[in-house]
């Protein structure tokens, strides 16, 4: 027996190897974590991880970022004014109305549903605000609040018919598109157009600029510092929990890249009129809704519903309440977008919410990376998608391209995005089975 013990000790080199084995096994399980291996390999590891994600169909925001760069390069080569401060400023301000509505649509798309009524609801919002404040002399702030409340109630009503009654969301919101368009026409009356005060609350949404250069640079500093602190503190929490986290060098690199982007935008704003109020409000909405979706239990419930309704129900999620609230959010943001559109044209009229608005709102969400099949997307997708659409529109306008051609090109971009989304899902399923 003593010979066996000596032999065992000799082979292992540790007399207490059996006692230390569990700890060693634990270390081994951490060491083989793919995220740790990637980070240990440095830059080459990230390149390999990027290639793996591409093969698996995990494209993220890569296609839309590349597309945006290509769009800018093409239009700049055709017209040197495209990347000028004035044109870029106009693009950023013009995108906010559609972007706000697209944020609401993203919430609905995360459920795997659709809302076709947002264009008409935006028109109702503008009509209510104009009639109350201009025709009846109601305080404009109260008129705005009434319009926003109306949008949320309308959305909740659609959600009720869908979630409680069981009617398809497509049919319910299609009926809403027609009904609320008629309601808007009724509210506006025979005149059909009500001009709003350009110096009022709504009028300044798209015309007010913070002319002090400190405003744009200050927002850039807040954005960069906020990102760094969020990433750094998040890493500290992950390390405390024993979960793989990014090294400090990676956080610093990401922060530097973000700083380059946001300070470039700040410089562009200050070369024109300064920081637009519309862009500031849109940034606040994106940060707040992203936090809601990713950092709260409510947001996780929405994502869970998009993955599997039955599994969510069995997990104790109140499916009906979440669905109704999501459609209420879509209605609220449709109303917000309607106010920005009214500000842009300084009026509420019968054409509000018509034309290609609905298509652009949905297209912005999908082009930005939100899946039509539910369960995947972030509110930041609205920013990327609406930037693509608005850049195309302004670029074509600079070239004097007719509106029908603009529609066809935008439709082609949307179709390509949907195809990429479908192919991506199939690739991810194949990779998962493999």
């Amino acid at each position: 027996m003593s010979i066996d013990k000596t032999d065992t000790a000799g082979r292992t080199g540790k007399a207490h190897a059996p006692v230390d084995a569990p700890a060693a096994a634990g270390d081994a399980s951490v060491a083989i974590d793919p995220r740790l291996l990637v980070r240990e390999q440095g830059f080459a590891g990230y390149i390999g991880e990027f290639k793996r994600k591409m093969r698996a169909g995990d494209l993220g925001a890569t296609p839309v970022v590349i597309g945006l760069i290509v769009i800018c390069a093409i239009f700049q080569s055709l017209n040197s004014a495209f990347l000028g401060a004035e044109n870029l400023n106009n693009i950023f301000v013009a995108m906010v109305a559609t972007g706000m509505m697209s944020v609401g649509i993203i919430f609905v798309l995360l459920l795997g549903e659709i809302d076709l009524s947002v264009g008409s609801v935006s028109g109702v919002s503008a009509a209510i605000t104009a009639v109350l404040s201009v025709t009846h002399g109601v305080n404009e702030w109260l008129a705005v609040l009434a319009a926003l409340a109306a949008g949320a109630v309308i959305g909740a009503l659609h959600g009720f018919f869908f979630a409680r009654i069981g009617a398809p969301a497509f049919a319910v919101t299609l009926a809403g598109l027609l009904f609320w368009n008629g309601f808007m026409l009724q509210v506006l009356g025979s005149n059909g157009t009500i001009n709003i005060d350009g110096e009022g609350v709504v009028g300044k949404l798209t015309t007010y600029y913070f002319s002090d250069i400190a405003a744009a640079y200050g927002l850039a500093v807040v954005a960069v510092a906020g990102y760094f602190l969020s990433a750094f503190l998040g890493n500290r929490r992950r390390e405390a929990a024993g979960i793989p986290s990014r090294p400090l060098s990676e956080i610093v690199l990401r922060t530097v890249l973000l700083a380059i982007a946001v300070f470039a935008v700040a410089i562009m704003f200050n070369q024109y009129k300064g920081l637009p109020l519309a862009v500031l409000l849109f940034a606040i909405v994106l940060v707040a809704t992203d936090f809601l979706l990713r950092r709260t239990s409510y947001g996780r419930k929405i994502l869970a519903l998009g993955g599997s309704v039955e599994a969510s129900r069995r997990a104790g999620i109140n499916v009906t309440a979440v669905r109704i609230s999501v459609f209420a959010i879509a209605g609220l943001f449709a109303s917000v977008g309607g106010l920005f559109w009214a500000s842009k044209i300084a009026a509420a009229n019968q054409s509000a919410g018509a034309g290609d608005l609905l298509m652009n709102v949905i297209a912005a969400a999908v082009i930005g990376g939100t899946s039509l099949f539910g369960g995947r997307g972030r509110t930041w997708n609205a920013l990327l998608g609406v930037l693509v659409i608005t850049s195309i529109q302004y670029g074509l306008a600079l070239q004097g391209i007719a509106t029908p051609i603009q529609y066809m090109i935008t439709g082609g971009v949307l179709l390509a995005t949907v195809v990429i989304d479908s192919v991506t899902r199939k690739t991810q399923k194949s990779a998962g089975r493999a």
Side-chain angles (χ1 to χ4, degrees), residues 256-278:
V256 169
L257 293 176
L258 176 64
I260 293 173
V262 296
F263 274 97
V265 174
I267 292 171
M268 178 270 296
F269 285 147
N270 285 331
Q271 286 179 346
Y272 186 53
K273 294 181 179 180
L275 174 65
L277 172 63

Side-chain angles (χ1 to χ4, degrees), residues 97 100-101 122 125 148 205 285 331-341:
M100 287 288 193
M101 298 172 67
S122 71
S125 170
L148 296 179
L205 287 176
V285 165
L332 173 63
F333 279 106
S335 291
V336 174
L339 296 178
F340 276 91
W341 278 114

Side-chain angles (χ1 to χ4, degrees), residues 91-109 115 117-119 121-122 125 144 148 151 201-202 204-206 276-290 293 326-344 357-358 360-365 370 378-387 389-390:
I91 289 175
F92 272 89
V93 173
M95 76 178 185
V96 173
T98 304
M100 287 288 193
M101 298 172 67
S102 186
V103 169
I105 279 290
I106 286 174
F107 277 81
V108 177
L109 290 178
D115 188 344
S117 68
V118 291
V121 175
S122 71
S125 170
V144 168
L148 296 179
V201 175
V202 175
K204 288 185 175 181
L205 287 176
T206 57
L277 172 63
V279 174
L280 173 61
L281 295 176
F282 191 35
I284 293 173
V285 165
L286 289 175
V287 172
T289 52
D290 182 68
L293 279 177
V326 164
F327 276 88
I329 290 173
L332 173 63
F333 279 106
S335 291
V336 174
L339 296 178
F340 276 91
W341 278 114
S343 175
K344 185 179 179 181
L357 177 59
L358 175 62
N360 286 339
V361 169
I362 298 175
T370 303
R378 295 180 60 182
T379 51
W380 287 99
N381 297 148
L383 172 62
L384 293 173
V386 77
L387 266 177
I389 291 176
T390 311

